[in-house]
Amino acid sequence: MKLQPDRIETQSVTAYGSGWVAIQGEKITHSVLISSEGLRLDWRCQSFDDLGPHHFAQLVDLDVELVIFGSGERLRFPKPEWQVGLMQRRVGLETMDTQAACRTYNILAGEGRKVAAALIIEPSASNN
């Protein structure tokens, strides 16, 4: 699906499909962290099952008010104990499938919110 924002003045997800997202038009086929402040980092996990507490520890220092967690092709929730650092810093965490996370991130970033998206991009059969 191709997304057409009205006019977002920040980094946005411009398209997505099974096994990929496009950020500012660049196709990405691996998990990624992005923020409305311009951050873009590889997020070293190929699937939800690869996640551990160290992945969520990376999110604590992003200096955002909310993290949108895209859990892959389907909705899955991270362990509550992995979220403790975010709660202590008063950073919200919303969990949804990755495609919904892309849409939500774009809306919030477009509103000027300090938001990040942690997106699990699971390899699809066509990317292997």
Side-chain angles (χ1 to χ4, degrees), residues 35-71:
S35 80
S36 58
E37 304 292 307
L39 173 77
R40 185 165 96 187
L41 299 171
D42 292 348
W43 204 34
R44 306 217 183 272
C45 57
Q46 291 186 6
S47 71
F48 184 84
D49 294 332
D50 291 342
L51 286 176
H54 59 286
H55 291 100
F56 287 84
Q58 283 183 278
L59 307 177
V60 171
D61 294 323
L62 292 180
D63 190 31
V64 296
E65 60 190 56
L66 178 66
V67 175
I68 307 297
F69 169 56
S71 62

Side-chain angles (χ1 to χ4, degrees), residues 13 79 123:
V13 178
K79 293 182 179 181

Side-chain angles (χ1 to χ4, degrees), residues 77-98:
F77 293 92
K79 293 182 179 181
E81 57 268 24
W82 297 350
Q83 302 172 49
V84 170
L86 292 167
M87 288 186 275
Q88 289 173 338
R89 297 288 289 271
R90 302 177 79 69
V91 175
L93 179 76
E94 291 291 334
T95 300
M96 52 197 74
D97 67 66
T98 294

